[in-house]
Structure formats: structure tokens, C-alpha cells
Amino acid sequence: MSTSVQNAPGSGTAAAPGLPIGELIFALIIVSIGVVGFVAGAGIQTPPSASDIGPRAFPFAVSGLLVVVGAGLVIQVLRGHRGSADEGEDVDLDASTDWLTVGKLAGLVLLHAFLIVPLGWPIAAAILFFGAAWSLGARPWWRNLITAILLALVLQFVFGGLLGVSLPPGFLEGFGVFGG
Amino acid sequence: MLMQGFATAMQPMYLLFALGGVLVGTAVGVLPGIGPAMTVALLMPITYSLEPTAAIIVFAGIYYGGMYGGSTTSILLNTPGESSSIVTALEGNKMAKAGRGAAALATAAVGSFVAGTIATVLLSFLAPYVAAFAVQIGPVEYVALMVVAFLTVGALLGSSVLRGLASLGLGLFIATVGFDSLTAQQRYTFGSPFLADGIDVVLVAVGLFAVGEALYVASRLRHGPIKVIPVTGGWTSWLRKDDLRRSWKPWLRGTLIGFPVGTIPAGGADVATFLSYASERKLAKGENKKQFGKGAIEGVAGPEAANNAAAAGVLVPLLTLGIPTTATAAMMLVAFQRYQIPVGPQLFESNSALVWALIASLYVGNLMLLVLNLPLVGIWVKILQIPRPYLYAGILVFAVLGAFSVNFTPIDVIILLIVGILGFFMRRFGYPIAPMVVGLILGPIFESQLRRSLAISQGDPVALVQSPVAATIYVVLIIIFGLSFLLKRRQRQFEAMVAENADAPDVVRGSAEAPEALAAPAATASTAPASTATATAPSREDTDR
């Protein structure tokens, strides 16, 4: 990918000898979810007629688990015990993190969510596929475009038309085969 | 009962669904980045219009197909695979490089068929007995079983106990969002109507498996051409007499190791493949033993059989007790819930026709896989070579399709993205995904059973351990933990040794310092298969994505 970013801020978790900031933050987030669980859980109404253990006890127990485990993880990370990143056939663990591509993909999914209703599912999906394939390094652009359009039409036909999933057909409105 | 199941499963329409299921399953098994759990999650909203039996048959086909497809990838793809498939890759990849890829594929496929069939027979005989026991257990025992499932899946399957428990906790937390089922009180909804109904399980599963995986792979995509080792020769001459002679015993041994490991809520296919590999290596003699590390066919035949037998074993607790022990099993449970089929101990009794149709379709699917797999290997190789940008862009499109189809609101796509980003960071920092999914799915059932038990005992927590059955379950849990930590250490030694030998492939195994490190896990495996089978070992459950 031509867009790969070297030494992007925050990507230091892979090789940097210092404190693994990202991993530490993640462990702290787990603790804070537990804390939020206690605070917000205090607002859960318990009907007086309920049995001995009401709707509040279980959320409290889970929050407690998160706080304890999260705190343990914070300590572990501070002591230098790191998690091992997930492996996979397509994953190159030695590569530096390509934040730009991750950001592009996340942005495209978000864009897709806003386009489904105004443009219809096929166009929104084609844009998502085209953008994602391009961000991941597929060239040339016209082949990506053709693939994206074909895929969107086939999916709209199979799921909207054949299986009766109510995907908004957009410009295909009125064509029965596309579920319009 | 089984015959009635066959009568259902053999109807042409259902045969077609089974065929579709195994083909889709094999394809996703072959493709890196997607697994059966993710596929079932994705297909759930978009197969909503199917009737329950058809959908369950499709999912059963995907479940078995995914196991077959995975072995093709680890044998033919020339990149270091995931930890779960690495056992097959150890010998299979070497065989393929030595021009014996066809034999490796064949012994994997036939072994999967033999093991799958025997294990399905065992499932058919065992399941009714377990189900008869299951209907007698009360909420207290059910709570105990779920505690075992939580702790074994959460603490034992991943490489880090705390990370597994954190993942489990996150799943349980998300499960509490929404209306409380017993008192109808709102919990953690923060006044938002979108959260009042809870966060849909399918959204979380698709977000974690599909979007999380796509984002993670995108962050560290392996570039360059995809190297697939070519397979030569016609598929009919693949399994020579000599190969067959060396394979059939490992197939049977793998089945016997895999099935019990799968049935126990501490299993997972990884442990079974590892135990099978270790014992095959221990039992090999003379010339064959020297081949280990350089492409011994026993090292492919045994683990592949164990893998498939374990997959069938996992269905025993799922179908009889409603306890999923892997992420794929958890998604199957969700599929049952979607179709208003009550899960839990009463499943077998109240929906026996459906369960037997499911089991019958496993026999059918297994046979289809054997017949289709070898002749179609050319197609699987093509699928393996799909350009990665298209593969992961396609995964994203399917993910948003599945998410949108849950409620047909774009807000679900945004929730999907948020969960996906969470999944990205979990992968990055080594948090296993499966415990979160299991926690999310079992959480509500667990809470209601727990509260029911405590209501019966009027709030006395001692009652939870007073029932003899429940007490036994907890004692077994403690034993499982003790054994697993023992086995964990040995597997680490074993893996270290394998890594060492992988670096220096010409070292003849079984010489020098190797025997001691190896003898340990193998000895445990062969002397006490049933008890060590309960113990599990570290390595990710990647087959379940």
C-alpha cells in the first residue's frame, strides 16, 4: 500500500521499548466501564416486591469483575507483560500499524450508514466496496468500480429480490427482481 | 427418531440447502480472515425468511464445511498460519512443499470424513442420554454448568487468563444493557430508546468477527503475491496404498481423542489437534518417526480427524444442555433463539424433530464434503487466491448488509462500527474474542437462572453449591483448572520445541534433546486420555471466528 504511515503517533505498541500506551489505555477503559457500571447501576430501580435478588445485583457483579480484572491488567501491563497480537494468514506482525487505512475503512463504513437511506442500499454498498478496495491497495480503479457495481447488484438481487430482505433499492425502485 | 430426521433431511429441498451450506462453509473455511462463527452470524439476519429447519441445516453445513476448508488453507498456503491450524500446517505444509500436497489433502479429507461420521454416530447415541439427564437438572445445576462454561472459555482458551476474563466481562456487560427480563426495569440505557431493547447479539458478533478482523488485517496487511503450493496429479491417485496404511490408525485415534475433548466444556478443537499430534509422534516408529517435522502423513491424518471429531463433540453440550463451548456453537445457539426454539435442557424434548433433522443433515453434509472436496480442490485454490483488498472489502460489505438487515435502521451500522473498532483493539492487544461472544449469549440465561435459584433458596447463596450434582460440577471444574495449568506448561515447552525445529528444518526429530520435552505431553495423552482431555491448553480458538 502506498499510503502506509511510518511511526504514526500511537503506533508505538509494536516495537517501542517504552510504556505501551495503547494497551494501558485499553486496560484503563475496561476499569472505567466497570466504574460506569457501578455508577449507572445505582440508578436501576428495584421494585420492592421483587424477590431477594433484584435487577441490580447481576450488573453490579459484572462491573465488579471488570474493575478487578481491568486493574489486574493495568498492573500486568505496567510490569511489562504484554498481550500477543492476533496472528493470521494475511497478517504481517512485523509490519508497522497502518492507521491511515484503518481510519479510511472506518470512515467508509460510517459514510455508508449515512448513505443507505438517501441513495438506497446498492449505491451505498458499491461506494463502500469501491472505497475499501481502493484503500486496501487494489488497482486499477475501473476494475474496482466494475466489481463494486456488480457485487452490489448481485447482492441486491439475491437478498432483496430472492430472499425478501427489505433493502432499500434506491434507483432500482420499481424493478421487482431487486425487491423494489 | 434418527430415521425421521433422515426422512426430513433427505427431502430434495433440504438436500439443496445442505449442499449450499457445505459449499459456503468450505469456501469460508478456505478463506483466511473469515470463519464459520462469522459466517453464521452474517447469514442469520439475511436468512430470516427461511423456515427454521432449512436455516439450521444450512448452518450445520457451514459448521462442518468450515472444518474441511481450514485444512486446505494450512496445507497449501505458504504463510505461517494461525495457531489453531498450525498443527496441520506442521506436517501438511512440508508434505505439500515436497510435492505430496495431494496426499496431505486426501488424508485430511478422508480422515475428516471418517472422524466426522464416527463422531456423529457417537453424538446420535450419546445425546439422548445426556438430554434425559439434562431435563432433570434444576436452575442450580444449570448455573453450575454455565459457570464451568464461562470460566473454561474465558480463562483457559486464550493465552492470558486476565484478558480472557476481561473479554468475558465485556460480553456479560453488554448483555445487561436494555430491559431486565424479570422486572422490566431499564438498565444502562441512559434514556436512549435504541438501547432499551438491548444491543443485538448479531450486531456484536458481526462487528467483532467481521469488521474487527477487516480493520485489524488492514492495519497489518501482508503484501506481495499470495503463494499457493501447487498440487500435482489427478485426484484419483492421491491416496496411495502406503498412505492409507499409515493413515487409518491415526484417523481412529484422532477421533477417539477429539470427540471427548469436544464434549467437555473446556475443549475446543485446538486442544484435540495438539493432543493427537503429540500422541502420533510418540507412537510413530522407525522410518516414519524420522519423517515427523519433514512431512509425516500421520501428523496430518491424526490432527485433522481430531479436529472434526471435536467439532461433533461440541454439539453434545450445545444440543442437550444449551451450553456453547466455542464461538461457532454460541452462534448456533443464537440461531435457535432467533427461530423461537427454546434452548437449554428442554431442547431435545420439545424440538426433537428439528434436532434429529440437524443430526441427520450432519451425516449427509459429511458425505457431500468427502465427495465434493477433492474434485473441487482447483476451485478452493482459486478462492484462496482472491486478491486480499477485494476479500476484505467484500467482508465489510457483507457485514453492513447483515447489520442493516437486523432492524433496517442505519443506526445499527454505526453500532456495528463501534463494536468493530473495539474488536480491532482487542485483537491488537491480544484479547480473545470468543469469551465475549459466549458471555454475551449466555449472560441473560445465566442471570435468570441464577436469580431463579436464589429466589427458591430465598437468597441463600449456599444453596448454589449444596445440590450434590452442582457440587460435583464445581469439583470437576477445580480439577479441570489444575490439570490445564499443568498441560499448559507442557504445551508451551512443546511449542517452543516445534518453533526451534521449524527454524532448523533439517534437524532430525527424536534425536538429541527433543525426546524429553516431547514425551511429557504425549505420555499424558496416551495414559489418561479421558482425564487429560478435560484439561485445555493455550492457543487461540481462531477456527471459530
Side-chain angles (χ1 to χ4, degrees), chain A residues 84-110:
Chain A
S84 48
D86 216 1
E87 298 161 15
E89 283 98 343
D90 288 336
V91 174
D92 187 356
L93 282 178
D94 301 326
S96 64
T97 307
D98 186 353
W99 289 102
L100 188 60
T101 304
V102 176
K104 280 184 190 166
L105 293 187
L108 283 162
V109 173
L110 194 64

Side-chain angles (χ1 to χ4, degrees), chain B residues 274-289:
Chain B
F274 150 69
L275 285 175
S276 166
Y277 182 77
S279 56
E280 287 314 321
R281 222 164 110 166
K282 181 88 198 305
L283 290 169
K285 285 185 188 72
E287 228 13 63
N288 297 351
K289 192 176 189 95

Side-chain angles (χ1 to χ4, degrees), chain A residues 105-118:
Chain A
L105 293 187
L108 283 162
V109 173
L110 194 64
L111 180 71
H112 173 83
F114 286 104
L115 291 183
I116 296 177
V117 174

Side-chain angles (χ1 to χ4, degrees), chain A residues 13 23 37 55 89 144 163, chain B residues 49 82 163 187-188 390 428:
Chain A
T13 45
E23 199 169 347
E89 283 98 343
N144 298 351
L163 286 173
Chain B
S49 54
E82 318 157 14
R163 284 180 175 75
R187 300 194 294 193
Y188 301 134
Y390 285 173
R428 188 176 167 79

